[in-house]
Every structure is written in C-alpha cells, then in structure tokens.
Amino acid sequence: MKFNIDDLPVVFPYDRIYPEQWEYMCDLKRTLDASGHCVLEMPSGTGKTVSLLSLIVSYQQFYPTKRKLIYCSRTVPEIEKALAELKRLMAYRIEHAETEEEKENERNFTGLGLTSRKNLCLHPEVSKEKKGRVVDARCRDLTSAAACEKGRVNPGSVPLCDWHEGLNELEPGTQLGRGIWTLSDVEQHGREKGLCPYFAIRRMMPFVNVVIYSFHYLLDPKVAEQVSKELSKDSIVVFDEAHNIDNVCIESLSIDLTRPMLDSAARSVSRLGEKIEEIKVTDASKLQDEYAKLVEGLQEADAARDEDAFMSNPVLPDDLLKEAIPGNIRKAEHFVAFLKRFVEYLKTRMRVLHVVAETPLSFLQHLKDITFIERRPLKFCAERLQSLVRTLSLTQLDEYYALQKVASFATLVATYEKVGFLLILEPFETESSTVPNPIFHFTCLDPSLAIKPVFERFSSVVITSGTISPLDMYPKMLQFTPVVQETYAMTLSRNSFLPLIITRGSDQVAISSRFEVRNDPAVVRNFGSILIEYSKIVPDGIVAFFPSYLYMESIVAAWNDMGILNEVWKHKLIFVETPDANETSIALENYRRACDNGRGAILLSVARGKVSEGIDFDHNYGRAVIMFGVPYQYTESRILKARLEYLRDAYRIRESEFLGFDAMRNAAQCVGRVLRGKTDWGLMVFADKRFARSDKRAKLPRWINQYITDTAANLSTDMALVLSKLFMRTISQSSTENQTGISLWTLEDVLKAQEKRKALEIDMGMQAERDEEIDEDEYGDSGLPDEILAEMEVDP
Amino acid sequence: MSSSAWARGVVVRKGGTSSQLTSRSGSAAPQPTSTSSTTYGGGVKDPSGRVIEYYAEDDQCPVCKSDRYLNPKLRLLVSACYHKMCESCIDRLFTLGPAPCPICNKTLRKIAFTPQTFEDLGVEKEVAVRRRMAREFNRHPEDFTDLRAYNDYLETVEDITFNLINDVDVAKTEARITALRAENAALTELNIQRDEQAASFLRQEEERERQEREERARDLRRQEEEEREEHERHRMDIINNLERGTGDAAKIVAKANAVKQKRTSARNVSSIPAIRQPSGGGRPTKASVIPDEPHVPLTDSYYAYEDKFTLKSDYHDPRSEAVRKDRDGIMRAGGYRIEEAWERAIRIAVAGLEISPLE
C-alpha cells in the first residue's frame, strides 16, 4: 500500500497496516526530519522491522540526500531476518514503481549484511575451524597484503586464498551486483563465482544504501574504527533490540585479564623478541623502514592500514593520532622490552591475595613508580604492536591473542584515565574458594562513553526495542537528548494475552524470591503448585523463568523431594536450560517436538540466559510463561557495585532504582517471548508479591501494563487459575469480529486517521491533545485494594 | 518501646536499622584506594601497603638445593649480581663480612640482598637500571621545542638504558651519561622538583575526591533514612485516619497519597544538588601550595672570569721588603707568595670591590 506521511510518499509492502505501525512511522519521520535521536518502544511481533525499513527506504529514495542506513541488530538470525524483510520490501517497491525510471532507481538500491569471517568463510580448511578467532587469524594469513604481494610475485611460494584472489580482478563497487543481498545470497554467489563473501561485502560497504550488522561493529572501538570508519556523517543509525545496549557499551570498553593470559602474553613477547633477532639478520631493512615511518608519525602508518590490520586502536582522540609514536618504543627491541616489563608488572599485581580496587590514575602512578613506564608510550601500545606485527608479517595471529589483549588493556588504561573506569583485582573466583584464580578487571562504569562517538558522529540515532521501559532511563544513562521518546500500546480487537500477578499461594502465604524467604518450604511449595496447576490447564508449551541458575537448581531439587515434579510429569515433559549451549539447544529441540506432537512440555530456564534473550516461543511453543521471582542481578558482584555507585554519583540514579529497572526489563523480555504477533496468544504469569508494587509495575512496558487490570494485580493461585481458564475459554472461540478498522487498517483507514489527526490539531489545538495523552497514561492505577496493598502491606 | 509498637501494630523490623547500616557499609562497593608507593630495593608495596614478594611453589635455592618441601619457610633473596639464594645460605656465607658470590664470584655483602619483585630476574635488573636513569634523565616534553626533539631524546635515553642493561659498551655509555648529565644538571634538578609537585598534587586530589565521595555517601544515607521515616509516618497517618475517620476509605487514602506526592516532589526539587562535574584530573594545572623556588647551583665556570689587568713581575713595595729579602724562606714557609698579595690588591682596585655601595 502507498500513502503519504506529510509530504513523504511511503510504500508499505502489505495491504494492511497496524495502527501502531503507522504511528511509529510518523514519529520516525519526525525524528529524521529533525536530524535528532529517538527512543521508541513497540510491542514485539507488531512488525517493527518492516515499519522501520519501509519508512527509511522511502525516505532515502524520496529525498536526494540519500542518507545511508546503518541498521544494528544483535544476532545473526536477526540480521538475516531483517535482510529478508528488506528484500521483500524492495521487490514490492520495484513491482509497484510507476515509471521505468523509478523502477531502475529501485533496482539500484543496494543493501548488505555483514557478519564475521567464521559465518561466511568458504575456504575448505579455514571454514572448518570452530573458533572465530582462529578463523580470523588463518584468514589473515592467507589474505594479508604482505602475503598477497609475495604470492603474486612468486606464485606458489605462499598459500593464498583463491576466493580472496578472485575478488581482486573486479572493479571496486562491482564485487556484488545491485539489489539486496541476504547473507545466504552472498554465500551462494561466492560459491558459484569463486569469490570470498566476507571481503566482497567489506569492499562493497562504501557503495551500499543499507548496511545491517551487529551492535559491536559500531560500538566496540576495537572494531568500529576498522569497519565503520568510512560511513558518512548524515547516516541514519538504528539500534534494534536495544534494551541491553548499555551492557553492550560497557562490555565493549572493558577487558578482563587472567593469569594464563599473562603467561601466554609473556611467551608471545619472547617469541616476538626471537623473531626480531631473526629478521635483523635476514632482512634488517624492513625494520629500518618501519622505524623511519614511525619517526615520521602515525599518520602515514594509518593511511597504509589495510583491511588485514588485525586489530584496531581503541578510539584515540584525533590529535593523538597525528602524534608520533613516543621515541622510547620506536625501535622494535625497545618495544619488546617495554611489553615484557609491562607483562611482568601485571604478573606482580596478580600475586596479591586480597581484593584491590583502584582508579586508572592510581594504577598508572604505581606502574610508573615500579617499572618506570610512562603513560604516553602505554597509550600507543596497541598501535605499536599492530605496526610491529605488520612489519614482521607474522602468521597465526591467534597465538598472539593474549598479547593483543594486554596491549589493548594498556591502551585503554592510558586513554581513559579519568572518571568512569575502575580497575578491580579479584584474586578468588568465589568468596569461599582457597585456590587463587586472579582476574584483573578493567571495567567501564559509564555506558555513555562507548556510545558517545556514535551520537556525536551521526545525526540521527534510533534506539528501539519491544521492551525499553522506562523510556527516560536510556537517555539518562547514555547521555543524549532524544527528539522523540514514545511507547506504543498494542491495539487489539480482543485481548490476546493475559498478564497476571500472583502474590500468594492458595494457602495465602505470600510468595517471593527474596533472599530471606526464597528457600522457605512454603514458598517453594507454592511455586510448585503454580507449576502443577498451570501444567494441568495450559495446552502445549509452558516456559518458566527463574532469577538464576543457582536458585533454579535448588528449587528443582526441592520440588523433586516434595514430589512436585512427579505430579507435573503426569501432564507435561520437563526440560531444563543449562549454562552449556549445546545441552540447551538439544533441550530446546526436544521441547519443540513435545509441543508439536501434543504431549506438551515445560521448559525451565533462567532470566538473562540464552533462552530469555534470543529464542521465540510463538504459538504452541509457548502458551504460558511463568516468572518465578523478580530477576534481580547478583548484587554481591563488585563490578556491579562499582557501577551502581558510579551511576549514583554521576547521574543521580539510585541503586534501588537501577536494580529495579534492570530486573523489570529482563522480566519483560522473558514474558515478551511468548507473544510474537497479533494472531498469537498466551498467558503471562508474574509470581512474586513484589511485582504488585506500583514502582515495579510502572517499569513494565506500556503494552503489557495496560492489560494488567486491578483484579489481576494481586491474586492468589486459585484466583489466577479461574481467570486463566476463563481467558482460555474466550480465546479459543474463533474470532468472529473483523479486525479491520480496529487493529488492522486498510489504506482508507490510514487516510481517515490522517484526516482525523489533522482535524484534531486544528480544532482543539495542542492543549487538548496533551490532555488526552495524560488521560491515556493513567492506565489502571487507581482503586483502593491495589493502592492500599502497594502502599501498606508490602514491605519497603 | 517495642511493646508499645506491637500494640499499635507497627511492624518491628528484625535487626533494626543500625545493623542494616553497618551491613551495607560492610558490603559497599570496593573503594578505590590511594596512590601506591614503592619500597625501594625489591618488593612491591601494593596500594593497601602490603609488600608482595615473588613466590613460587617450586622455588629451590641454587646454592644449598633446599626447596619448599624441605624448608617450608624458604625465602629467596636476590644479590646485587642478580643471583638467588636462600636466607640461611646468605647467613652462612656472608656473616663474616664480604665474600664472593658462589655462582659468579663477585664480592657481595649481606646488606645488599633484596627481596624479589618480578618473576623474571632480567626485569629486576632492568628496573634497577631504569631507576637510576629516571633520576638522571627526566626531561619533560615542555623542555623541548617540538615533539620530534622530545621523541629523539626519549630514544637516546632508551638506547643508553638498553646498553646498560645488556652490558654493551658499558664504559662508553657511562661516559655518555656523564656528559649528558653535565649538560642538563640544572634542568634535571628542576624536573625532580616538578615531578614531586605533580605527585603531591595527585595525592591531594585523591584525598579530596575520597572525602567528597564519603560526604556524598553520608548525605545519601541520611536522605534515604529520612525517606523511610517519612514513609513510615505516612503509613501511620493513613491507618490513624482510617481508624478515626468517617468518610469514604478510598477518599482518605487518595488524599493522603496526594499530600505525600506533593511532599516528595518538593523534596526532590530541593535536594538535587549540582551534578558532579568530573574534575580535570590528569595533569596538574596548579598546586594549592606554592613551592619554594628550586635551588639551582651556579653552573657557569668560575674560571671564565677574565682579569682586566696584567700583573707585573715587580712592584715598588717597601712593606714587603722583609719578605722578599728573607733568604732562609722562613717567612714564605706556608707557601706565602708576595705576588698573590699584589694580585689581590690590584684586583680589588680594578674591580672596585672596596667602593662602598651608593647610598
């Protein structure tokens, strides 16, 4: 269907559109027009991706500026899904273009996805490697500039990758044709033509209109510099599924070092030393050349950097890049001695048997006192190592992995010496263990540091997800000012999901996963009876989430002793998620099988686990999801504590506020797994009395919260069962009412809505509209029993 | 108190608030500790003040071959020639004064043994050399006209250090050090002062930051405490009103909540202080204490002074007649030369030393 938003003609690839999709597009357009950032929350399964793509592509095609779209998603399947969606959209656009010229224009629109070498490699040996790191290293051995040069001068002297070589005969920008290429398309193409998919995509990057890749390519400074450097300033950046974006930011600037890594780094250093001695005898001019280049400054070295550069420097300020490498690490042997000293120093730190927390500044001071290493050379450590590796044309770089880690550690410490970072040494893995296994954490406490370059560089950044409530938390944590900040309700012709909060068991004992009561037999029994009762009444699949693996283990053991599991087995099979990925995927496969053949199954899993993040339980795979307890983080973690303290100091976000926010976004993520589209239906059971508190409920996404009625907010198990049965009886009736016009719009409805909005704006002015919004916001939060409960009965 | 609380139906929290506070502060986030310092001569003093020495399970004394199995208290020390020995061997060999090292025959003293810091003894030696170099070559980038010159300087220093560490051309290198030192003595002295100043600034800054942090934590605790009390009071109010009240229960609660809402928002407005600005950190811009002017000894040559007169071989000087005529040299016994007296007199006259300063 085609319609206009303001003056922009939008092509939407389906005949019907959801009202929230239309609103979403309107707000998105507002953001793009203002060249600002926005935070948008839209329920899962209401076609977020397609609305995003269809609006932005329309925008790109209509305006002559041709802003590039950078779409970041979390996992490879999600990237593939988005690409497929884009392909469908473009096919529709080509089909419905009016003139031949327009058709041509649509055909020239190019979109690509990028993922790691491991997922794309075609080389018969390299692609067999299991670890991504090894694939990267072996690929570099075969494709680095030095190896290629040698191979071309003297064919057969060095092994080269035929697929990569095939690429060189093509003009830049023609490695792949125009149009949309999904990852599997590129791989297919590569197989047929004998081209390397990875490098084909990499070389096409400057010429495409849409790039879809993972968060890390933009946020992780170690990668971003390399992959995303040439993207222009006016690009539109979209972070989809961005509810965990702050954690991604923090991870990308944090490094952990362990004892074995240091040992391995020390070995690598001595190997580097030997290599230098060797090359001094055979080919001293190489080192001389490098030396001369370094004297001139980094700029030239930077220009020479090719795609084979194995690791990039963390965001160095621009003025630093222009500076030359400090004199005392200019010579190769000096640098090796420098690295050796630094590694030895870190080893001495690892010997301490008590927890140490210090600021980077004090770390640097101590380092200087003991080993006389100054800050400046430390800052250039990663850069210098990269240059040395290139000069020595080392192969099998995966063996130098630990050393690279140490070098980036050095660079990060020296670069971010100011606030927002902390070094924590934890000598023991757990409180009770006696054998030291020290880990040196360099942790970033401030997520805004990693994402700051993105906000500064790109004019429009869109942060969107199904569960991103409370919306104002994200701008606060990431330090940006959004133009639009909006959450959309789900329009439904009938309630297709039922959220319930169970606060006490049938025996009226309050249930909670609070630490003090979590192993109380009464609570465990009540949790168990919820599981039994729901296994009796819910068809097909049930997913149950626990706050942690530890708690799940203890509670399942207790259920076994109480005979609860035996009772559940009568109705459904039980599968358990474990920290092991393979085990979990087998469990999932069998769970799906049991759901499909009608036996029915229960999957016990963990919030923040693999299942809670990426896997959908649509339709019969998940008819009910039960949250046992509030999924708080492990609060004894020192890193978390440091982060909380930082948030409190710097941004005035209270500990309890942040922990509650984090727990609720994970809970929402978990229960959101069950509903993937408007034809789907399911139960959402929150089993903990703390969910009934108003501060917790307010943190749930609006589309869930609006359906929590006062009656459903404070239930005992048997009351919840009555409601659930009632709900299932109504939902199982085939829906007779026509959804069109209410939750599904045709073109006429869209036009009508636009008219209406315009009329509203003119007639009542902005004031009236604002009033309406306020009215809408007060969803189901009044009434005495609920209020009194929230305020009085529940402990603070 | 508690009995009356029960009577009123107040929930008495187990443990009370005070213990809660202590438990919180006990498990508080790791506090960044202050800048560390070093104990010179081996052993690293970590930020908490404890000295950590190198220690391994499979240590063995190379001299007496005793190991950790035979002697659980085995402690190996490092000699000035970077060889390890256990304490009892050191006692045995060096109690009677200097003796040769059993491994390399260099004469050693007991006092010169130090604890081991680094696993690699090469690094241990390197650090010792660098300690010396750091004292002598401490020029800052500000001392140079451009970065290139500074980098060249750094490289020169590194070359020298490298030679010393690897015992290459030691004599020549030492000569070079002496030459460089003579060239830059004043600057070196100045930079030592500067470094000290920077370090003290850093310490002050840290101290200040720590105090600030404590202050903030205290404030926050107090605030939370107040809030809790408020909450408690509010709850009591509602219950009392419901007990006494006559009107609709929902209305009473709604009214109380509205009042509370107003109070909370008022407090929030008043209690938000300015968000902390990350302090400049890093380079010291200015120290709070103005340090003494660094003492720089006269560096120009004493002999560079040129006399503006020429001394004649003989003067008409009746008063020194006796000295000149003393044939036995009794009066010149202490090396007295009459020429020196003349020279002094003439210099005083020519340089005008006896002219009294202008009024």
Side-chain angles (χ1 to χ4, degrees):
Chain A
M1 100 169 73
K2 255 192 220 173
F3 54 87
N4 280 345
I5 294 179
D6 301 335
D7 54 338
L8 172 74
V10 178
V11 179
F12 191 75
Y14 301 100
D15 296 341
R16 308 284 163 84
I17 186 170
Y18 296 143
E20 54 268 34
Q21 285 181 318
W22 177 70
E23 278 174 50
Y24 188 89
M25 287 201 233
C26 291
D27 284 334
L28 202 55
K29 169 153 190 308
R30 213 141 48 88
T31 315
L32 297 185
D33 285 341
S35 287
H37 315 309
C38 69
V39 185
L40 300 172
E41 178 183 67
M42 177 136 113
S44 46
T46 50
K48 199 178 339 128
T49 312
V50 71
S51 345
L52 254 173
L53 289 175
S54 87
L55 183 96
I56 294 177
V57 170
S58 303
Y59 197 89
Q60 284 176 309
Q61 293 292 62
F62 183 70
Y63 291 110
T65 46
K66 297 264 175 207
R67 293 166 74 176
K68 205 178 207 166
L69 168 63
I70 307 164
Y71 184 101
C72 301
S73 201
R74 265 184 330 175
T75 59
V76 179
E78 272 164 13
I79 292 170
E80 191 72 355
K81 232 158 55 184
L83 280 167
E85 197 73 66
L86 182 63
K87 202 173 173 182
R88 201 162 334 132
L89 171 70
M90 288 319 292
Y92 185 90
R93 285 186 71 103
I94 291 169
E95 197 185 314
H96 287 78
E98 274 150 18
T99 62
E100 197 48 43
E101 192 188 339
E102 270 177 34
K103 268 192 188 169
E104 193 51 40
N105 188 21
E106 302 291 352
R107 279 201 199 96
N108 276 333
F109 192 85
T110 313
L112 280 179
L114 178 63
T115 176
S116 66
R117 288 180 168 92
K118 182 175 172 288
N119 296 327
L120 290 172
C121 187
L122 293 177
H123 193 273
E125 284 163 38
V126 177
S127 58
K128 295 236 167 40
E129 295 288 351
K130 294 223 167 39
K131 276 191 194 151
R133 222 165 67 209
V134 182
V135 175
D136 285 359
R138 291 201 54 187
C139 179
R140 282 189 196 104
D141 291 352
L142 298 175
T143 59
S144 69
C148 285
E149 213 169 284
K150 226 191 247 173
R152 265 166 230 149
V153 172
N154 186 3
S157 62
V158 230
L160 290 177
C161 177
D162 298 338
W163 284 267
H164 179 253
E165 289 302 296
L167 223 49
N168 291 326
E169 290 144 23
L170 299 172
E171 284 285 302
T174 61
Q175 283 90 349
L176 294 170
R178 307 266 100 189
I180 310 297
W181 295 82
T182 63
L183 295 176
S184 51
D185 286 346
V186 179
E187 214 178 313
Q188 186 71 24
H189 178 82
R191 232 178 259 287
E192 282 164 12
K193 298 269 167 67
L195 300 175
C196 174
Y198 176 79
F199 282 103
I201 295 172
R202 279 286 297 276
R203 291 186 190 172
M204 281 294 288
M205 288 271 279
F207 308 100
V208 298
N209 303 80
V210 179
V211 189
I212 301 186
Y213 54 37
S214 126
F215 278 17
H216 294 277
Y217 288 120
L218 209 54
L219 290 180
D220 193 334
K222 296 191 275 302
V223 199
E225 166 82 6
Q226 197 182 339
V227 177
S228 312
K229 201 168 57 179
E230 65 269 16
L231 300 173
S232 61
K233 245 188 96 61
D234 62 345
S235 303
I236 302 162
V237 178
V238 176
F239 290 105
D240 198 0
E241 302 290 333
H243 47 271
N244 269 342
I245 195 167
D246 55 323
N247 293 336
V248 177
C249 289
I250 282 181
E251 271 162 32
S252 68
L253 282 183
S254 301
I255 287 187
D256 289 357
L257 295 179
T258 59
R259 197 57 229 222
M261 278 169 74
L262 286 185
D263 290 337
S264 154
R267 277 195 301 276
S268 300
V269 171
S270 45
R271 210 158 46 218
L272 270 183
E274 285 161 22
K275 196 91 188 180
I276 287 171
E277 288 307 313
E278 204 176 288
I279 210 159
K280 258 188 187 162
V281 180
T282 56
D283 193 3
S285 64
K286 237 179 183 180
L287 280 178
Q288 276 304 319
D289 285 351
E290 185 203 24
Y291 174 77
K293 218 188 286 172
L294 291 178
V295 172
E296 284 313 310
L298 261 179
Q299 200 67 110
E300 277 78 1
D302 195 55
R305 184 196 290 161
D306 202 8
E307 56 203 358
D308 60 318
F310 77 104
M311 165 182 78
S312 222
N313 62 312
V315 260
L316 291 176
D318 278 342
D319 53 318
L320 239 160
L321 266 178
K322 291 186 188 79
E323 217 176 280
I325 291 255
N328 44 4
I329 55 170
R330 229 152 44 180
K331 280 190 181 164
E333 59 267 32
H334 291 174
F335 180 59
V336 169
F338 173 87
L339 279 179
K340 188 169 165 190
R341 216 157 7 122
F342 186 62
V343 171
E344 281 292 326
Y345 170 76
L346 288 177
K347 277 189 190 168
T348 67
R349 296 303 302 268
M350 289 280 193
R351 286 207 299 273
V352 181
L353 290 184
H354 53 98
V355 178
V356 180
E358 57 182 339
T359 58
L361 213 56
S362 110
F363 174 84
L364 290 174
Q365 187 65 31
H366 189 239
L367 178 67
K368 195 178 158 192
D369 284 351
I370 288 189
T371 55
F372 303 95
I373 290 179
E374 299 261 355
R375 204 184 118 225
R376 221 167 71 87
L378 210 56
K379 211 170 191 166
F380 287 91
C381 204
E383 194 71 26
R384 181 68 184 90
L385 179 62
Q386 193 186 328
S387 151
L388 182 64
V389 162
R390 210 168 27 218
T391 312
L392 298 179
S393 45
L394 289 181
T395 53
Q396 285 165 355
L397 286 174
D398 51 316
E399 287 168 24
Y400 292 89
Y401 175 72
L403 185 61
Q404 290 166 28
K405 259 278 173 69
V406 170
S408 15
F409 176 88
T411 305
L412 279 177
V413 171
T415 312
Y416 296 103
E417 49 156 16
K418 288 177 190 151
V419 287
F421 285 86
L422 200 62
L423 289 134
I424 299 175
L425 175 78
E426 283 185 317
F428 297 103
E429 224 161 345
T430 57
E431 290 292 326
S432 52
S433 59
T434 50
V435 181
N437 180 17
I439 300 178
F440 207 4
H441 306 277
F442 177 69
T443 53
C444 170
L445 305 174
D446 190 345
S448 68
L449 288 174
I451 206 168
K452 203 166 130 211
V454 176
F455 282 124
E456 275 173 4
R457 199 163 127 207
F458 300 109
S459 52
S460 292
V461 178
V462 178
I463 291 181
T464 183
S465 171
T467 54
I468 199 163
S469 289
L471 289 175
D472 54 343
M473 195 68 155
Y474 287 85
K476 216 156 141 193
M477 273 196 309
L478 303 178
Q479 292 289 294
F480 70 101
T481 36
V483 182
V484 180
Q485 178 175 325
E486 195 61 71
T487 172
Y488 307 95
M490 205 167 177
T491 52
L492 295 167
S493 53
R494 58 173 186 172
N495 290 359
S496 67
F497 66 96
L498 179 68
L500 298 167
I501 297 176
I502 300 181
T503 56
R504 53 216 137 93
S506 303
D507 53 2
Q508 302 301 318
V509 173
I511 51 175
S512 169
S513 66
R514 248 175 60 209
F515 187 73
E516 293 87 346
V517 299
R518 55 165 49 179
N519 289 319
D520 192 342
V523 171
V524 174
R525 194 186 57 240
N526 273 322
F527 275 156
S529 72
I530 292 174
L531 195 69
I532 293 175
E533 295 304 327
Y534 273 94
S535 74
K536 280 181 190 163
I537 64 162
V538 176
D540 299 328
I542 297 178
V543 193
F545 286 102
F546 293 86
S548 68
Y549 283 111
L550 261 176
Y551 185 51
M552 180 166 80
E553 270 169 35
S554 77
I555 213 163
V556 170
W559 281 349
N560 190 30
D561 295 342
M562 290 174 171
I564 288 170
L565 291 187
N566 283 330
E567 191 64 27
V568 173
W569 264 318
K570 288 179 190 161
H571 308 284
K572 292 201 187 303
L573 298 178
I574 299 175
F575 297 95
V576 181
E577 182 192 358
T578 61
D580 183 88
N582 284 331
E583 241 172 30
T584 305
S585 60
I586 292 171
L588 261 174
E589 199 187 314
N590 287 320
Y591 168 81
R592 291 231 160 93
R593 192 132 51 108
C595 291
D596 282 337
N597 65 17
R599 175 66 175 86
I602 291 179
L603 182 67
L604 304 179
S605 49
V606 170
R608 295 166 209 284
K610 183 176 170 246
V611 170
S612 73
E613 275 292 319
I615 291 158
D616 290 351
F617 295 98
D618 49 340
H619 298 96
N620 64 334
Y621 296 128
R623 284 308 181 196
V625 54
I626 307 175
M627 278 300 315
F628 287 117
V630 186
Y632 279 112
Q633 280 190 64
Y634 173 62
T635 47
E636 290 303 299
S637 143
R638 292 197 176 80
I639 296 173
L640 177 64
K641 273 183 188 156
R643 193 175 157 198
L644 287 176
E645 190 163 308
Y646 181 80
L647 282 177
R648 192 187 61 204
D649 284 358
Y651 301 138
R652 294 249 133 209
I653 299 173
R654 291 246 184 106
E655 280 113 327
S656 55
E657 193 185 342
F658 179 77
L659 286 174
F661 150 76
D662 186 68
M664 291 315 284
R665 75 170 163 191
N666 274 290
Q669 214 17 243
C670 291
V671 298
R673 299 286 103 198
V674 78
L675 201 75
R676 316 306 291 180
K678 285 195 171 178
T679 54
D680 201 1
W681 61 269
L683 291 164
M684 297 173 175
V685 180
F686 298 91
D688 192 308
K689 68 171 180 181
R690 287 174 292 176
F691 281 119
R693 293 180 61 185
S694 53
D695 63 324
K696 292 278 179 315
R697 269 178 57 193
K699 286 185 181 114
L700 278 176
R702 184 173 157 198
W703 59 277
I704 297 180
N705 207 347
Q706 69 175 349
Y707 288 105
I708 303 183
T709 53
D710 296 339
T711 41
N714 182 20
L715 298 167
S716 66
T717 308
D718 42 355
M719 287 151 74
L721 282 171
V722 172
L723 285 178
S724 308
K725 279 182 192 161
L726 196 69
F727 169 74
M728 278 188 286
R729 217 172 295 147
T730 49
I731 201 84
S732 57
Q733 309 295 319
S734 61
S735 129
T736 47
E737 333 156 39
N738 191 0
Q739 293 197 335
T740 315
I742 305 165
S743 66
L744 208 56
W745 284 358
T746 55
L747 189 55
E748 290 86 69
D749 291 315
V750 173
L751 296 178
K752 230 184 279 168
Q754 279 175 339
E755 295 270 297
K756 204 169 147 197
R757 176 174 279 200
K758 225 173 267 167
L760 255 180
E761 274 170 20
I762 296 163
D763 287 355
M764 300 180 182
M766 297 303 278
Q767 182 59 40
E769 200 175 79
R770 223 171 287 140
D771 280 351
E772 193 180 80
E773 272 169 25
I774 289 168
D775 273 350
E776 265 173 34
D777 279 342
E778 286 181 359
Y779 34 85
D781 233 5
S782 55
L784 173 69
D786 183 28
E787 283 296 82
I788 288 187
L789 170 105
E791 293 299 327
M792 300 162 66
E793 218 180 275
V794 177
D795 56 339
Chain B
M1 157 66 205
S2 72
S3 64
S4 65
W6 273 111
R8 279 183 290 134
V10 171
V11 181
V12 178
R13 217 178 270 106
K14 271 179 200 159
T17 42
S18 60
S19 77
Q20 228 173 5
L21 280 184
T22 50
S23 77
R24 178 170 307 162
S25 59
S27 64
Q31 292 295 325
T33 40
S34 70
T35 312
S36 45
S37 59
T38 323
T39 51
Y40 283 110
V44 178
K45 209 180 209 177
D46 77 334
S48 64
R50 273 179 254 190
V51 177
I52 10 164
E53 287 180 29
Y54 176 72
Y55 170 98
E57 271 314 310
D58 52 354
D59 270 348
Q60 195 196 36
C61 172
V63 181
C64 65
K65 307 288 181 208
S66 85
D67 57 18
R68 229 167 258 294
Y69 178 73
L70 293 169
N71 176 13
K73 282 185 189 152
L74 184 76
R75 184 172 173 229
L76 295 179
L77 297 177
V78 185
S79 70
C81 54
Y82 301 99
H83 292 115
K84 287 200 254 189
M85 257 164 270
C86 73
E87 277 184 312
S88 60
C89 282
I90 296 169
D91 274 344
R92 186 166 51 80
L93 293 170
F94 302 104
T95 323
L96 298 177
C101 168
I103 300 158
C104 68
N105 278 331
K106 187 179 172 189
T107 307
L108 298 175
R109 281 178 179 76
K110 193 177 169 184
I111 197 96
F113 281 85
T114 55
Q116 187 181 352
T117 316
F118 298 98
E119 187 183 335
D120 190 336
L121 283 176
V123 175
E124 194 90 39
K125 181 182 177 188
E126 189 178 338
V127 167
V129 173
R130 278 180 196 282
R131 183 168 306 133
R132 176 179 160 213
M133 299 304 287
R135 268 200 299 274
E136 288 176 4
F137 298 98
N138 57 359
R139 294 176 68 178
H140 288 219
E142 296 91 80
D143 303 339
F144 294 89
T145 47
D146 64 348
L147 200 68
R148 181 77 172 262
Y150 178 57
N151 280 334
D152 289 342
Y153 165 77
L154 282 181
E155 193 181 331
T156 322
V157 174
E158 194 67 22
D159 274 333
I160 294 173
T161 317
F162 232 67
N163 284 348
L164 284 185
I165 292 165
N166 299 326
D167 297 325
V168 184
D169 301 336
V170 177
K172 217 195 260 173
T173 316
E174 287 289 355
R176 205 160 154 209
I177 293 174
T178 327
L180 282 172
R181 178 175 16 189
E183 235 170 71
N184 299 313
L187 214 50
T188 311
E189 202 63 34
L190 189 74
N191 277 337
I192 288 176
Q193 299 269 349
R194 271 203 233 162
D195 288 344
E196 265 170 23
Q197 198 181 317
S200 82
F201 175 79
L202 194 69
R203 267 196 300 279
Q204 278 171 15
E205 192 77 347
E206 253 173 27
E207 180 65 19
R208 193 177 54 75
E209 236 163 68
R210 197 179 51 78
Q211 274 173 1
E212 254 175 36
R213 204 177 308 122
E214 274 172 14
E215 187 106 340
R216 265 200 310 275
R218 244 197 328 273
D219 272 0
L220 216 79
R221 264 205 297 279
R222 210 191 51 236
Q223 215 172 312
E224 270 170 22
E225 194 65 25
E226 272 171 17
E227 234 158 82
R228 205 167 23 241
E229 274 169 23
E230 182 98 347
H231 190 75
E232 207 87 338
R233 209 166 39 238
H234 170 70
R235 240 160 48 162
M236 278 313 297
D237 278 352
I238 294 185
I239 291 178
N240 287 340
N241 282 338
L242 285 174
E243 202 177 69
R244 280 189 269 108
T246 45
D248 184 10
K251 259 186 203 155
I252 293 175
V253 172
K255 201 170 132 196
N257 278 347
V259 171
K260 187 196 171 194
Q261 198 74 46
K262 209 182 282 172
R263 233 180 299 164
T264 328
S265 56
R267 190 177 47 230
N268 280 350
V269 168
S270 67
S271 72
I272 293 178
I275 287 174
R276 176 171 68 126
Q277 284 300 316
S279 60
R283 298 259 103 195
T285 42
K286 81 175 196 291
S288 47
V289 228
I290 296 161
D292 292 341
E293 239 351 84
H295 166 71
V296 180
L298 228 56
T299 47
D300 48 358
S301 170
Y302 175 73
Y303 299 99
Y305 181 70
E306 238 177 80
D307 282 339
K308 297 274 193 277
F309 59 92
T310 40
L311 204 64
K312 281 194 266 182
S313 60
D314 199 8
Y315 287 94
H316 172 71
D317 183 14
R319 274 201 267 171
S320 62
E321 205 69 43
V323 183
R324 274 181 288 164
K325 294 223 167 116
D326 181 18
R327 227 166 265 147
D328 297 325
I330 294 170
M331 293 180 97
R332 295 189 296 269
Y336 179 77
R337 287 172 62 243
I338 194 66
E339 282 85 357
E340 273 178 4
W342 288 338
E343 193 187 349
R344 191 161 53 240
I346 293 171
R347 182 172 292 131
I348 286 171
V350 171
L353 293 183
E354 272 189 337
I355 297 168
S356 58
L358 295 169
E359 288 301 322

